Amino acid sequence: MRNNFITSISDYNLQPTGSVKAKGFSNIALIKYWGKYSKQIPANPSLSFTLSEAFTQTELKFKEKRGKKTNIQVFLDGTNQPDFAPKIEKFFQSIIDYIPFIHYYDFEVHTHNSFPHSSGIASSASGMSALASCLIQMEEEFGYKNEKAIEKASFLARLGSGSASRSLYPGAVVWGKTAEIEGSNNEFSISINHRINPIFQDFQDCILLIHKGKKRVSSTLGHQLMNEHLFAEQRFKQADQNLKILLKALEQADIDTFIRIVEKEALSLHAMMMTSDPYFILMEPQTVKAIQEIWRFREETGEKICFTLDAGANVHVLYPKQSEKNILTFINERLKSLCENQEMLMDYVNQKI
């Protein structure tokens, strides 16, 4: 399938200089991707909601290079970040067969996150999806018309950050081959928004910033530890089964099943971290307190509220738009104080990419 995205330099009418802009959105995985094979191939399929307010805005400036080596500079909010450049260089090297004009230019990457730097919200998905979209825009600027542009952008983003492949589409998105979804594959993500009941299409996500800053253990290392994990194969089977159940719940507006599977997936992800070798814990005491408060509130009121976690300490509080008033009162009264500096990010499922 990846051969469909290979191009040659003769496909383009190159320009000496220019710039393109794109916005990439964060996403929150409901079925977790944890463990991968070479070339960013997932060990199990994942399903996510694309978010609206957590995004990266990127401008990619390019000009004909003078030396043999491509020079890349990365600016975050106008400040040069030399430590970011090696990751972009590695990404560009990995996509040279698909974007061959990279060899001909020097680049400046100017990027801005809508969320505070070191807020604990991973920017790899939003950042890499924005950068991939910029490269697809460069193709268009050079006269190359691709009917599968969004699929190629997702494919490219995946090579920079696996979860970034899901950020090119609105709403509910699946990445990874599964018999449950026609057209699903490991190379790029696809939208399944047409299969989702409307009650989930405006779901809210309050992100509790329990711990801001860099994680103690990177996601890259966490994925690597799955290679020899004693429970890896069982975990991959569990994810497949949970995806099947969650899809049915999303189609049938079965919020109780949605809650059960989403929370089970979050805890399974962290269970794999705690049982790897070496083992590690990314949750903080306040993370556990927030989860317990959510469970207590749900039992007290019957409100359809749940949590999920990324590979970190922060808590995503998910709930239907129709329950927003009561749940926001609960969040402000019982969860906000658990956050670092009482900071939260209010977000919702994106339907407008």
Side-chain angles (χ1 to χ4, degrees):
M1 185 175 292
R2 69 188 62 173
N3 290 339
N4 295 333
F5 301 129
I6 294 176
T7 58
S8 67
I9 200 64
S10 62
D11 293 323
Y12 305 102
N13 297 315
L14 300 184
Q15 300 173 9
T17 186
S19 69
V20 290
K21 294 181 180 180
K23 181 185 287 187
F25 296 87
S26 292
N27 68 77
I28 179 62
L30 308 177
I31 301 297
K32 307 297 185 181
Y33 143 66
W34 198 244
K36 60 186 177 183
Y37 306 116
S38 63
K39 298 187 181 298
Q40 295 283 86
I41 297 300
N44 66 266
S46 57
L47 188 156
S48 65
F49 282 161
T50 302
L51 301 178
S52 297
E53 299 302 314
F55 61 82
T56 299
Q57 184 76 50
T58 296
E59 180 179 14
L60 183 62
K61 298 181 179 181
F62 57 92
K63 62 180 178 180
E64 290 180 339
K65 69 179 183 182
R66 297 182 179 181
K68 291 183 178 180
K69 185 179 184 298
T70 295
N71 180 55
I72 299 174
Q73 291 182 292
V74 182
F75 297 84
L76 176 62
D77 294 325
T79 301
N80 193 0
Q81 302 285 346
D83 292 344
F84 291 3
K87 183 173 183 178
I88 305 301
E89 291 172 0
K90 182 179 179 181
F91 171 54
F92 279 5
Q93 290 170 4
S94 71
I95 63 173
I96 197 67
D97 288 340
Y98 314 103
I99 307 290
F101 54 74
I102 284 176
H103 270 321
Y104 291 79
Y105 294 100
D106 290 328
F107 294 94
E108 287 185 10
V109 182
H110 294 262
T111 189
H112 164 74
N113 296 326
S114 65
F115 42 91
H117 185 56
S118 297
S119 66
I121 304 301
S123 60
S124 59
S126 57
M128 282 297 177
S129 62
L131 187 55
S133 294
C134 284
L135 293 170
I136 295 300
Q137 286 189 41
M138 284 185 69
E139 284 196 320
E140 294 174 353
E141 291 280 333
F142 297 163
Y144 182 77
K145 302 301 181 183
N146 186 351
E147 295 181 357
K148 303 290 186 179
I150 189 170
E151 294 177 0
K152 183 170 182 178
S154 178
F155 169 83
L156 295 175
R158 188 202 93 229
L159 294 174
S161 168
S163 60
S165 69
R166 299 190 303 253
S167 288
L168 276 298
Y169 305 85
V173 184
V174 164
W175 171 42
K177 179 66 176 177
T178 170
E180 303 303 317
I181 301 173
E182 184 179 358
S184 62
N185 66 92
N186 294 328
E187 302 287 357
F188 56 85
S189 297
I190 63 171
S191 172
I192 58 164
N193 220 30
H194 60 286
R195 294 179 58 171
I196 305 306
N197 188 278
I199 197 169
F200 293 109
Q201 294 183 1
D202 63 355
F203 240 57
Q204 306 295 293
D205 181 4
C206 173
I207 308 169
L208 307 179
L209 301 182
I210 303 294
H211 173 71
K212 300 191 297 181
K214 188 175 181 180
K215 292 180 295 189
R216 294 186 298 273
V217 178
S218 71
S219 295
T220 298
L221 175 59
H223 282 290
Q224 292 173 352
L225 292 175
M226 288 295 287
N227 294 336
E228 303 296 331
H229 201 295
L230 180 63
F231 306 131
E233 288 304 317
Q234 188 59 39
R235 163 58 199 154
F236 302 147
K237 292 178 182 178
Q238 179 197 44
D240 283 329
Q241 182 64 19
N242 284 345
L243 177 62
K244 181 178 180 179
I245 298 170
L246 185 63
L247 277 171
K248 186 175 180 181
L250 289 168
E251 291 172 341
Q252 299 181 355
D254 183 351
I255 298 185
D256 290 332
T257 298
F258 173 90
I259 288 171
R260 178 173 61 85
I261 295 300
V262 167
E263 292 189 343
K264 181 191 293 187
E265 276 288 303
L267 295 176
S268 294
L269 171 67
H270 283 261
M272 298 307 289
M273 300 175 194
M274 290 187 280
T275 52
S276 64
D277 187 11
Y279 48 82
F280 57 99
I281 299 176
L282 293 183
M283 287 190 287
E284 298 286 342
Q286 303 297 71
T287 306
V288 178
K289 288 183 180 179
I291 291 171
Q292 291 172 332
E293 285 291 342
I294 291 167
W295 285 343
R296 190 175 296 116
F297 175 74
R298 192 167 70 214
E299 185 176 351
E300 292 169 353
T301 65
E303 291 283 7
K304 305 302 185 182
I305 181 175
C306 66
F307 72 89
T308 189
L309 309 167
D310 265 337
N314 298 327
V315 180
H316 290 249
V317 185
L318 304 175
Y319 53 94
K321 174 71 172 177
Q322 65 190 35
S323 303
E324 184 175 40
K325 183 177 179 180
N326 290 341
I327 290 177
L328 282 181
T329 299
F330 157 69
I331 289 171
N332 284 309
E333 290 180 353
R334 292 164 60 175
L335 298 182
K336 186 175 182 179
S337 62
L338 301 176
C339 302
E340 187 173 337
N341 298 324
Q342 298 195 32
E343 291 186 56
M344 306 182 297
L345 297 176
M346 307 306 298
D347 215 327
Y348 55 94
V349 177
N350 190 330
Q351 297 290 344
K352 297 181 179 180
I353 294 178

